[in-house]
mmCIF file of all heavy atoms in Angstrom:
data_model
loop_
_atom_site.group_PDB
_atom_site.id
_atom_site.type_symbol
_atom_site.label_atom_id
_atom_site.label_comp_id
_atom_site.label_asym_id
_atom_site.label_seq_id
_atom_site.Cartn_x
_atom_site.Cartn_y
_atom_site.Cartn_z
ATOM 1 N N TRP A 293 -30.915 113.738 177.307
ATOM 2 C CA TRP A 293 -30.300 112.420 177.336
ATOM 3 C C TRP A 293 -31.300 111.368 176.866
ATOM 4 O O TRP A 293 -32.505 111.536 177.044
ATOM 5 C CB TRP A 293 -29.825 112.087 178.745
ATOM 6 C CG TRP A 293 -28.811 113.037 179.298
ATOM 7 C CD1 TRP A 293 -29.054 114.267 179.848
ATOM 8 C CD2 TRP A 293 -27.403 112.849 179.355
ATOM 9 N NE1 TRP A 293 -27.881 114.853 180.250
ATOM 10 C CE2 TRP A 293 -26.843 114.006 179.970
ATOM 11 C CE3 TRP A 293 -26.551 111.810 178.968
ATOM 12 C CZ2 TRP A 293 -25.484 114.145 180.187
ATOM 13 C CZ3 TRP A 293 -25.187 111.948 179.192
ATOM 14 C CH2 TRP A 293 -24.666 113.107 179.790
ATOM 15 N N GLU A 294 -30.765 110.260 176.300
ATOM 16 C CA GLU A 294 -31.656 109.234 175.766
ATOM 17 C C GLU A 294 -31.019 107.855 175.882
ATOM 18 O O GLU A 294 -29.805 107.699 175.801
ATOM 19 C CB GLU A 294 -31.975 109.521 174.290
ATOM 20 C CG GLU A 294 -32.882 108.489 173.624
ATOM 21 C CD GLU A 294 -33.055 108.770 172.132
ATOM 22 O OE1 GLU A 294 -32.188 108.302 171.347
ATOM 23 O OE2 GLU A 294 -34.027 109.442 171.768
ATOM 24 N N ILE A 295 -31.880 106.854 176.079
ATOM 25 C CA ILE A 295 -31.454 105.461 175.995
ATOM 26 C C ILE A 295 -32.593 104.661 175.363
ATOM 27 O O ILE A 295 -33.767 104.910 175.637
ATOM 28 C CB ILE A 295 -31.090 104.869 177.382
ATOM 29 C CG1 ILE A 295 -30.512 103.463 177.215
ATOM 30 C CG2 ILE A 295 -32.283 104.870 178.321
ATOM 31 C CD1 ILE A 295 -29.932 102.886 178.501
ATOM 32 N N LYS A 296 -32.219 103.719 174.489
ATOM 33 C CA LYS A 296 -33.200 102.843 173.853
ATOM 34 C C LYS A 296 -32.965 101.424 174.340
ATOM 35 O O LYS A 296 -31.817 100.960 174.413
ATOM 36 C CB LYS A 296 -33.091 102.930 172.330
ATOM 37 C CG LYS A 296 -33.479 104.300 171.782
ATOM 38 C CD LYS A 296 -33.395 104.352 170.260
ATOM 39 C CE LYS A 296 -33.811 105.716 169.737
ATOM 40 N NZ LYS A 296 -33.720 105.805 168.260
ATOM 41 N N LEU A 297 -34.065 100.738 174.653
ATOM 42 C CA LEU A 297 -33.990 99.385 175.185
ATOM 43 C C LEU A 297 -34.899 98.453 174.388
ATOM 44 O O LEU A 297 -35.940 98.885 173.884
ATOM 45 C CB LEU A 297 -34.410 99.361 176.658
ATOM 46 C CG LEU A 297 -33.533 100.161 177.626
ATOM 47 C CD1 LEU A 297 -34.210 100.273 178.973
ATOM 48 C CD2 LEU A 297 -32.164 99.508 177.765
ATOM 49 N N PRO A 298 -34.511 97.187 174.266
ATOM 50 C CA PRO A 298 -35.342 96.223 173.533
ATOM 51 C C PRO A 298 -36.704 96.021 174.194
ATOM 52 O O PRO A 298 -36.890 96.331 175.376
ATOM 53 C CB PRO A 298 -34.515 94.931 173.586
ATOM 54 C CG PRO A 298 -33.132 95.367 173.902
ATOM 55 C CD PRO A 298 -33.250 96.594 174.735
ATOM 56 N N GLU A 299 -37.619 95.487 173.437
ATOM 57 C CA GLU A 299 -38.990 95.249 173.887
ATOM 58 C C GLU A 299 -39.058 94.476 175.197
ATOM 59 O O GLU A 299 -39.824 94.798 176.094
ATOM 60 C CB GLU A 299 -39.746 94.474 172.795
ATOM 61 C CG GLU A 299 -41.110 93.966 173.193
ATOM 62 C CD GLU A 299 -42.185 95.021 173.088
ATOM 63 O OE1 GLU A 299 -42.021 95.937 172.271
ATOM 64 O OE2 GLU A 299 -43.172 94.913 173.810
ATOM 65 N N ASN A 300 -38.219 93.427 175.326
ATOM 66 C CA ASN A 300 -38.320 92.544 176.478
ATOM 67 C C ASN A 300 -37.601 93.040 177.720
ATOM 68 O O ASN A 300 -37.604 92.366 178.752
ATOM 69 C CB ASN A 300 -37.798 91.140 176.114
ATOM 70 C CG ASN A 300 -36.335 91.163 175.668
ATOM 71 O OD1 ASN A 300 -35.717 92.221 175.600
ATOM 72 N ND2 ASN A 300 -35.791 90.004 175.359
ATOM 73 N N CYS A 301 -36.982 94.212 177.653
ATOM 74 C CA CYS A 301 -36.264 94.743 178.818
ATOM 75 C C CYS A 301 -37.230 95.292 179.870
ATOM 76 O O CYS A 301 -37.018 95.119 181.068
ATOM 77 C CB CYS A 301 -35.294 95.844 178.389
ATOM 78 S SG CYS A 301 -33.653 95.229 177.983
ATOM 79 N N LEU A 302 -38.249 95.970 179.406
ATOM 80 C CA LEU A 302 -39.182 96.619 180.321
ATOM 81 C C LEU A 302 -40.596 96.122 180.080
ATOM 82 O O LEU A 302 -40.933 95.683 178.987
ATOM 83 C CB LEU A 302 -39.138 98.143 180.146
ATOM 84 C CG LEU A 302 -37.801 98.838 180.374
ATOM 85 C CD1 LEU A 302 -37.923 100.322 180.053
ATOM 86 C CD2 LEU A 302 -37.305 98.635 181.796
ATOM 87 N N HIS A 303 -41.402 96.232 181.105
ATOM 88 C CA HIS A 303 -42.818 95.894 180.997
ATOM 89 C C HIS A 303 -43.580 96.750 182.009
ATOM 90 O O HIS A 303 -42.977 97.457 182.823
ATOM 91 C CB HIS A 303 -43.048 94.397 181.268
ATOM 92 C CG HIS A 303 -42.545 93.956 182.619
ATOM 93 N ND1 HIS A 303 -43.264 94.124 183.782
ATOM 94 C CD2 HIS A 303 -41.374 93.363 182.975
ATOM 95 C CE1 HIS A 303 -42.584 93.654 184.799
ATOM 96 N NE2 HIS A 303 -41.424 93.192 184.342
ATOM 97 N N ASN A 304 -44.880 96.675 181.947
ATOM 98 C CA ASN A 304 -45.694 97.450 182.876
ATOM 99 C C ASN A 304 -45.385 97.006 184.305
ATOM 100 O O ASN A 304 -45.553 95.852 184.670
ATOM 101 C CB ASN A 304 -47.178 97.232 182.578
ATOM 102 C CG ASN A 304 -48.042 98.292 183.205
ATOM 103 O OD1 ASN A 304 -47.698 99.466 183.195
ATOM 104 N ND2 ASN A 304 -49.173 97.893 183.760
ATOM 105 N N GLY A 305 -44.881 97.935 185.127
ATOM 106 C CA GLY A 305 -44.535 97.608 186.499
ATOM 107 C C GLY A 305 -43.049 97.427 186.742
ATOM 108 O O GLY A 305 -42.625 97.240 187.897
ATOM 109 N N SER A 306 -42.232 97.459 185.676
ATOM 110 C CA SER A 306 -40.782 97.374 185.872
ATOM 111 C C SER A 306 -40.311 98.511 186.767
ATOM 112 O O SER A 306 -40.697 99.666 186.569
ATOM 113 C CB SER A 306 -40.051 97.453 184.524
ATOM 114 O OG SER A 306 -40.290 96.321 183.743
ATOM 115 N N LYS A 307 -39.460 98.205 187.727
ATOM 116 C CA LYS A 307 -38.965 99.222 188.659
ATOM 117 C C LYS A 307 -37.620 99.747 188.164
ATOM 118 O O LYS A 307 -36.715 98.966 187.841
ATOM 119 C CB LYS A 307 -38.850 98.648 190.064
ATOM 120 C CG LYS A 307 -40.207 98.365 190.715
ATOM 121 C CD LYS A 307 -40.056 97.797 192.107
ATOM 122 C CE LYS A 307 -41.404 97.729 192.814
ATOM 123 N NZ LYS A 307 -42.419 96.961 192.076
ATOM 124 N N VAL A 308 -37.486 101.072 188.121
ATOM 125 C CA VAL A 308 -36.271 101.701 187.597
ATOM 126 C C VAL A 308 -35.919 102.954 188.397
ATOM 127 O O VAL A 308 -36.756 103.522 189.101
ATOM 128 C CB VAL A 308 -36.446 102.098 186.105
ATOM 129 C CG1 VAL A 308 -36.639 100.882 185.226
ATOM 130 C CG2 VAL A 308 -37.616 103.070 185.945
ATOM 131 N N LYS A 309 -34.669 103.353 188.269
ATOM 132 C CA LYS A 309 -34.188 104.624 188.807
ATOM 133 C C LYS A 309 -33.163 105.191 187.829
ATOM 134 O O LYS A 309 -32.569 104.456 187.030
ATOM 135 C CB LYS A 309 -33.542 104.451 190.186
ATOM 136 C CG LYS A 309 -34.516 104.379 191.347
ATOM 137 C CD LYS A 309 -33.778 104.435 192.671
ATOM 138 C CE LYS A 309 -34.745 104.478 193.846
ATOM 139 N NZ LYS A 309 -34.013 104.582 195.133
ATOM 140 N N THR A 310 -32.955 106.490 187.920
ATOM 141 C CA THR A 310 -31.956 107.161 187.095
ATOM 142 C C THR A 310 -30.743 107.478 187.951
ATOM 143 O O THR A 310 -30.879 108.054 189.039
ATOM 144 C CB THR A 310 -32.513 108.461 186.498
ATOM 145 O OG1 THR A 310 -33.756 108.185 185.856
ATOM 146 C CG2 THR A 310 -31.544 109.053 185.503
ATOM 147 N N VAL A 311 -29.582 107.098 187.484
ATOM 148 C CA VAL A 311 -28.330 107.425 188.168
ATOM 149 C C VAL A 311 -27.725 108.644 187.474
ATOM 150 O O VAL A 311 -27.542 108.639 186.250
ATOM 151 C CB VAL A 311 -27.340 106.246 188.137
ATOM 152 C CG1 VAL A 311 -26.020 106.631 188.809
ATOM 153 C CG2 VAL A 311 -27.948 105.030 188.824
ATOM 154 N N VAL A 312 -27.434 109.669 188.243
ATOM 155 C CA VAL A 312 -26.908 110.923 187.693
ATOM 156 C C VAL A 312 -25.490 111.147 188.206
ATOM 157 O O VAL A 312 -25.237 111.091 189.412
ATOM 158 C CB VAL A 312 -27.802 112.114 188.085
ATOM 159 C CG1 VAL A 312 -27.209 113.414 187.545
ATOM 160 C CG2 VAL A 312 -29.218 111.901 187.570
ATOM 161 N N GLU A 313 -24.590 111.392 187.257
ATOM 162 C CA GLU A 313 -23.194 111.646 187.594
ATOM 163 C C GLU A 313 -22.905 113.121 187.386
ATOM 164 O O GLU A 313 -23.070 113.648 186.279
ATOM 165 C CB GLU A 313 -22.289 110.782 186.711
ATOM 166 C CG GLU A 313 -20.838 110.752 187.118
ATOM 167 C CD GLU A 313 -20.060 109.752 186.290
ATOM 168 O OE1 GLU A 313 -20.146 108.542 186.568
ATOM 169 O OE2 GLU A 313 -19.378 110.202 185.331
ATOM 170 N N ASN A 314 -22.509 113.788 188.453
ATOM 171 C CA ASN A 314 -22.144 115.198 188.388
ATOM 172 C C ASN A 314 -20.776 115.331 189.017
ATOM 173 O O ASN A 314 -20.621 115.175 190.228
ATOM 174 C CB ASN A 314 -23.178 116.060 189.127
ATOM 175 C CG ASN A 314 -22.899 117.551 188.990
ATOM 176 O OD1 ASN A 314 -21.893 118.035 189.481
ATOM 177 N ND2 ASN A 314 -23.781 118.259 188.321
ATOM 178 N N HIS A 315 -19.751 115.595 188.172
ATOM 179 C CA HIS A 315 -18.344 115.546 188.589
ATOM 180 C C HIS A 315 -18.053 114.130 189.093
ATOM 181 O O HIS A 315 -18.282 113.173 188.387
ATOM 182 C CB HIS A 315 -18.046 116.631 189.615
ATOM 183 C CG HIS A 315 -18.250 118.022 189.063
ATOM 184 N ND1 HIS A 315 -17.526 118.518 188.005
ATOM 185 C CD2 HIS A 315 -19.131 118.999 189.407
ATOM 186 C CE1 HIS A 315 -17.925 119.743 187.711
ATOM 187 N NE2 HIS A 315 -18.912 120.057 188.549
ATOM 188 N N SER A 316 -17.617 113.960 190.315
ATOM 189 C CA SER A 316 -17.271 112.617 190.806
ATOM 190 C C SER A 316 -18.384 112.032 191.666
ATOM 191 O O SER A 316 -18.224 110.951 192.243
ATOM 192 C CB SER A 316 -15.972 112.683 191.633
ATOM 193 O OG SER A 316 -16.137 113.567 192.740
ATOM 194 N N ARG A 317 -19.523 112.702 191.722
ATOM 195 C CA ARG A 317 -20.614 112.271 192.600
ATOM 196 C C ARG A 317 -21.724 111.595 191.808
ATOM 197 O O ARG A 317 -22.176 112.117 190.794
ATOM 198 C CB ARG A 317 -21.169 113.494 193.346
ATOM 199 C CG ARG A 317 -22.215 113.179 194.403
ATOM 200 C CD ARG A 317 -22.448 114.403 195.261
ATOM 201 N NE ARG A 317 -23.472 114.163 196.269
ATOM 202 C CZ ARG A 317 -24.711 114.632 196.205
ATOM 203 N NH1 ARG A 317 -25.068 115.381 195.179
ATOM 204 N NH2 ARG A 317 -25.580 114.380 197.155
ATOM 205 N N ARG A 318 -22.157 110.425 192.268
ATOM 206 C CA ARG A 318 -23.269 109.711 191.650
ATOM 207 C C ARG A 318 -24.437 109.636 192.620
ATOM 208 O O ARG A 318 -24.264 109.241 193.771
ATOM 209 C CB ARG A 318 -22.857 108.293 191.234
ATOM 210 C CG ARG A 318 -22.022 108.238 189.975
ATOM 211 C CD ARG A 318 -21.749 106.802 189.578
ATOM 212 N NE ARG A 318 -20.791 106.732 188.475
ATOM 213 C CZ ARG A 318 -19.915 105.765 188.315
ATOM 214 N NH1 ARG A 318 -19.858 104.776 189.187
ATOM 215 N NH2 ARG A 318 -19.094 105.772 187.285
ATOM 216 N N THR A 319 -25.620 110.014 192.130
ATOM 217 C CA THR A 319 -26.824 109.971 192.957
ATOM 218 C C THR A 319 -27.945 109.263 192.203
ATOM 219 O O THR A 319 -27.962 109.234 190.974
ATOM 220 C CB THR A 319 -27.285 111.394 193.336
ATOM 221 O OG1 THR A 319 -27.370 112.195 192.141
ATOM 222 C CG2 THR A 319 -26.307 112.047 194.303
ATOM 223 N N GLU A 320 -28.875 108.692 192.958
ATOM 224 C CA GLU A 320 -30.000 107.973 192.376
ATOM 225 C C GLU A 320 -31.264 108.806 192.486
ATOM 226 O O GLU A 320 -31.524 109.427 193.529
ATOM 227 C CB GLU A 320 -30.190 106.626 193.095
ATOM 228 C CG GLU A 320 -28.990 105.707 192.969
ATOM 229 C CD GLU A 320 -29.152 104.434 193.776
ATOM 230 O OE1 GLU A 320 -30.257 104.217 194.335
ATOM 231 O OE2 GLU A 320 -28.185 103.649 193.857
ATOM 232 N N HIS A 321 -32.069 108.814 191.408
ATOM 233 C CA HIS A 321 -33.245 109.688 191.357
ATOM 234 C C HIS A 321 -34.432 108.982 190.704
ATOM 235 O O HIS A 321 -34.266 108.018 189.948
ATOM 236 C CB HIS A 321 -32.930 110.956 190.557
ATOM 237 C CG HIS A 321 -31.813 111.771 191.121
ATOM 238 N ND1 HIS A 321 -32.004 112.837 191.977
ATOM 239 C CD2 HIS A 321 -30.465 111.663 190.963
ATOM 240 C CE1 HIS A 321 -30.839 113.359 192.310
ATOM 241 N NE2 HIS A 321 -29.883 112.656 191.714
ATOM 242 N N ILE A 322 -35.615 109.520 190.984
ATOM 243 C CA ILE A 322 -36.816 109.120 190.277
ATOM 244 C C ILE A 322 -36.850 109.895 188.958
ATOM 245 O O ILE A 322 -36.605 111.106 188.949
ATOM 246 C CB ILE A 322 -38.083 109.473 191.089
ATOM 247 C CG1 ILE A 322 -38.017 108.848 192.483
ATOM 248 C CG2 ILE A 322 -39.338 109.039 190.337
ATOM 249 C CD1 ILE A 322 -38.091 107.369 192.520
ATOM 250 N N PRO A 323 -37.117 109.259 187.819
ATOM 251 C CA PRO A 323 -37.223 109.998 186.551
ATOM 252 C C PRO A 323 -38.196 111.174 186.668
ATOM 253 O O PRO A 323 -39.238 111.070 187.321
ATOM 254 C CB PRO A 323 -37.746 108.931 185.582
ATOM 255 C CG PRO A 323 -37.210 107.644 186.130
ATOM 256 C CD PRO A 323 -37.263 107.794 187.623
ATOM 257 N N LEU A 324 -37.841 112.282 186.028
ATOM 258 C CA LEU A 324 -38.620 113.516 186.167
ATOM 259 C C LEU A 324 -40.056 113.370 185.680
ATOM 260 O O LEU A 324 -40.964 114.008 186.209
ATOM 261 C CB LEU A 324 -37.933 114.654 185.398
ATOM 262 C CG LEU A 324 -36.575 115.111 185.920
ATOM 263 C CD1 LEU A 324 -36.011 116.204 185.019
ATOM 264 C CD2 LEU A 324 -36.681 115.618 187.350
ATOM 265 N N PHE A 325 -40.265 112.543 184.656
ATOM 266 C CA PHE A 325 -41.598 112.415 184.069
ATOM 267 C C PHE A 325 -42.242 111.073 184.422
ATOM 268 O O PHE A 325 -43.077 110.563 183.686
ATOM 269 C CB PHE A 325 -41.520 112.589 182.546
ATOM 270 C CG PHE A 325 -41.162 113.996 182.132
ATOM 271 C CD1 PHE A 325 -39.834 114.411 182.124
ATOM 272 C CD2 PHE A 325 -42.145 114.901 181.763
ATOM 273 C CE1 PHE A 325 -39.494 115.708 181.752
ATOM 274 C CE2 PHE A 325 -41.813 116.192 181.387
ATOM 275 C CZ PHE A 325 -40.499 116.602 181.379
ATOM 276 N N ALA A 326 -41.853 110.514 185.565
ATOM 277 C CA ALA A 326 -42.403 109.230 186.003
ATOM 278 C C ALA A 326 -43.925 109.313 186.105
ATOM 279 O O ALA A 326 -44.475 110.257 186.674
ATOM 280 C CB ALA A 326 -41.809 108.847 187.357
ATOM 281 N N ARG A 327 -44.622 108.301 185.553
ATOM 282 C CA ARG A 327 -46.083 108.246 185.591
ATOM 283 C C ARG A 327 -46.594 107.511 186.823
ATOM 284 O O ARG A 327 -47.745 107.663 187.207
ATOM 285 C CB ARG A 327 -46.622 107.555 184.331
ATOM 286 C CG ARG A 327 -46.158 108.188 183.018
ATOM 287 C CD ARG A 327 -46.770 109.555 182.794
ATOM 288 N NE ARG A 327 -46.289 110.170 181.567
ATOM 289 C CZ ARG A 327 -46.829 109.971 180.369
ATOM 290 N NH1 ARG A 327 -47.861 109.155 180.248
ATOM 291 N NH2 ARG A 327 -46.351 110.586 179.309
ATOM 292 N N ARG A 328 -45.733 106.697 187.407
ATOM 293 C CA ARG A 328 -46.119 105.987 188.628
ATOM 294 C C ARG A 328 -44.892 105.836 189.524
ATOM 295 O O ARG A 328 -43.827 105.391 189.079
ATOM 296 C CB ARG A 328 -46.722 104.622 188.310
ATOM 297 C CG ARG A 328 -47.083 103.824 189.558
ATOM 298 C CD ARG A 328 -48.082 102.714 189.260
ATOM 299 N NE ARG A 328 -48.202 101.768 190.358
ATOM 300 C CZ ARG A 328 -48.887 101.977 191.491
ATOM 301 N NH1 ARG A 328 -49.504 103.134 191.675
ATOM 302 N NH2 ARG A 328 -48.952 101.061 192.439
ATOM 303 N N VAL A 329 -45.043 106.194 190.798
ATOM 304 C CA VAL A 329 -43.970 106.110 191.778
ATOM 305 C C VAL A 329 -44.513 105.373 193.002
ATOM 306 O O VAL A 329 -45.609 105.676 193.479
ATOM 307 C CB VAL A 329 -43.475 107.512 192.178
ATOM 308 C CG1 VAL A 329 -42.358 107.419 193.203
ATOM 309 C CG2 VAL A 329 -42.992 108.274 190.942
ATOM 310 N N VAL A 330 -43.758 104.384 193.486
ATOM 311 C CA VAL A 330 -44.245 103.547 194.584
ATOM 312 C C VAL A 330 -43.193 103.442 195.679
ATOM 313 O O VAL A 330 -41.999 103.634 195.443
ATOM 314 C CB VAL A 330 -44.616 102.133 194.092
ATOM 315 C CG1 VAL A 330 -45.791 102.195 193.120
ATOM 316 C CG2 VAL A 330 -43.418 101.451 193.433
ATOM 317 N N GLN A 331 -43.670 103.115 196.882
ATOM 318 C CA GLN A 331 -42.788 102.935 198.028
ATOM 319 C C GLN A 331 -42.663 101.459 198.357
ATOM 320 O O GLN A 331 -43.668 100.745 198.467
ATOM 321 C CB GLN A 331 -43.331 103.692 199.244
ATOM 322 C CG GLN A 331 -42.405 103.678 200.451
ATOM 323 C CD GLN A 331 -42.979 104.468 201.621
ATOM 324 O OE1 GLN A 331 -44.176 104.463 201.849
ATOM 325 N NE2 GLN A 331 -42.119 105.149 202.349
ATOM 326 N N ASP A 332 -41.429 100.993 198.518
ATOM 327 C CA ASP A 332 -41.194 99.611 198.890
ATOM 328 C C ASP A 332 -41.567 99.420 200.362
ATOM 329 O O ASP A 332 -41.043 100.127 201.223
ATOM 330 C CB ASP A 332 -39.718 99.244 198.680
ATOM 331 C CG ASP A 332 -39.445 97.766 198.885
ATOM 332 O OD1 ASP A 332 -39.540 97.310 200.044
ATOM 333 O OD2 ASP A 332 -39.132 97.068 197.906
ATOM 334 N N PRO A 333 -42.464 98.498 200.672
ATOM 335 C CA PRO A 333 -42.910 98.338 202.060
ATOM 336 C C PRO A 333 -41.824 97.872 203.022
ATOM 337 O O PRO A 333 -41.921 98.092 204.223
ATOM 338 C CB PRO A 333 -44.030 97.281 201.945
ATOM 339 C CG PRO A 333 -43.728 96.554 200.674
ATOM 340 C CD PRO A 333 -43.123 97.560 199.756
ATOM 341 N N LYS A 334 -40.751 97.247 202.474
ATOM 342 C CA LYS A 334 -39.676 96.755 203.341
ATOM 343 C C LYS A 334 -38.587 97.806 203.546
ATOM 344 O O LYS A 334 -38.191 98.095 204.666
ATOM 345 C CB LYS A 334 -39.083 95.470 202.746
ATOM 346 C CG LYS A 334 -40.061 94.296 202.729
ATOM 347 C CD LYS A 334 -39.388 93.049 202.161
ATOM 348 C CE LYS A 334 -40.359 91.862 202.164
ATOM 349 N NZ LYS A 334 -39.736 90.630 201.601
ATOM 350 N N THR A 335 -38.097 98.365 202.445
ATOM 351 C CA THR A 335 -37.002 99.341 202.544
ATOM 352 C C THR A 335 -37.515 100.756 202.767
ATOM 353 O O THR A 335 -36.746 101.650 203.122
ATOM 354 C CB THR A 335 -36.154 99.321 201.263
ATOM 355 O OG1 THR A 335 -36.960 99.780 200.159
ATOM 356 C CG2 THR A 335 -35.660 97.920 200.969
ATOM 357 N N VAL A 336 -38.796 101.007 202.520
ATOM 358 C CA VAL A 336 -39.449 102.317 202.634
ATOM 359 C C VAL A 336 -38.901 103.302 201.604
ATOM 360 O O VAL A 336 -39.152 104.501 201.691
ATOM 361 C CB VAL A 336 -39.305 102.902 204.067
ATOM 362 C CG1 VAL A 336 -40.333 103.989 204.316
ATOM 363 C CG2 VAL A 336 -39.490 101.817 205.120
ATOM 364 N N GLN A 337 -38.118 102.823 200.651
ATOM 365 C CA GLN A 337 -37.597 103.687 199.592
ATOM 366 C C GLN A 337 -38.610 103.779 198.451
ATOM 367 O O GLN A 337 -39.396 102.870 198.220
ATOM 368 C CB GLN A 337 -36.263 103.147 199.071
ATOM 369 C CG GLN A 337 -35.138 103.209 200.076
ATOM 370 C CD GLN A 337 -33.817 102.746 199.491
ATOM 371 O OE1 GLN A 337 -33.770 102.128 198.429
ATOM 372 N NE2 GLN A 337 -32.736 103.049 200.175
ATOM 373 N N TRP A 338 -38.565 104.911 197.751
ATOM 374 C CA TRP A 338 -39.472 105.136 196.625
ATOM 375 C C TRP A 338 -38.728 104.905 195.317
ATOM 376 O O TRP A 338 -37.540 105.232 195.201
ATOM 377 C CB TRP A 338 -40.020 106.559 196.653
ATOM 378 C CG TRP A 338 -40.927 106.826 197.817
ATOM 379 C CD1 TRP A 338 -40.555 107.029 199.117
ATOM 380 C CD2 TRP A 338 -42.351 106.936 197.793
ATOM 381 N NE1 TRP A 338 -41.666 107.248 199.895
ATOM 382 C CE2 TRP A 338 -42.777 107.192 199.115
ATOM 383 C CE3 TRP A 338 -43.305 106.830 196.785
ATOM 384 C CZ2 TRP A 338 -44.114 107.365 199.459
ATOM 385 C CZ3 TRP A 338 -44.641 107.005 197.116
ATOM 386 C CH2 TRP A 338 -45.038 107.255 198.438
ATOM 387 N N CYS A 339 -39.424 104.370 194.329
ATOM 388 C CA CYS A 339 -38.822 104.211 193.010
ATOM 389 C C CYS A 339 -39.902 104.324 191.945
ATOM 390 O O CYS A 339 -41.104 104.348 192.249
ATOM 391 C CB CYS A 339 -38.069 102.882 192.882
ATOM 392 S SG CYS A 339 -39.126 101.446 192.693
ATOM 393 N N CYS A 340 -39.467 104.410 190.699
ATOM 394 C CA CYS A 340 -40.391 104.562 189.578
ATOM 395 C C CYS A 340 -40.802 103.190 189.051
ATOM 396 O O CYS A 340 -39.976 102.286 188.946
ATOM 397 C CB CYS A 340 -39.712 105.366 188.462
ATOM 398 S SG CYS A 340 -40.599 105.375 186.885
#
């Protein structure tokens, strides 16, 4: 799968997640090749 985004969409430190649809179910994931993954101190959730 692929997506292309303009220069100004992302920058160093932009937080992202991948949404995966399998049949009728949607789940949120960290990209498989993420170079940096961090935990939000408030929500305790991890993201890329």
Side-chain angles (χ1 to χ4, degrees):
W293 300 80
E294 179 185 86
I295 186 171
K296 294 181 179 179
L297 297 169
E299 171 82 27
N300 60 358
C301 270
L302 301 176
H303 57 82
N304 197 41
S306 292
K307 290 180 171 56
V308 296
K309 279 189 175 182
T310 309
V311 178
V312 178
E313 191 173 281
N314 185 295
H315 298 298
S316 59
R317 186 167 178 255
R318 283 184 188 147
T319 51
E320 299 175 7
H321 300 265
I322 304 293
L324 294 178
F325 292 82
R327 304 291 178 86
R328 178 161 167 77
V329 180
V330 295
Q331 186 179 36
D332 187 291
K334 294 182 179 179
T335 65
V336 199
Q337 293 184 345
W338 293 76
C339 75
C340 169

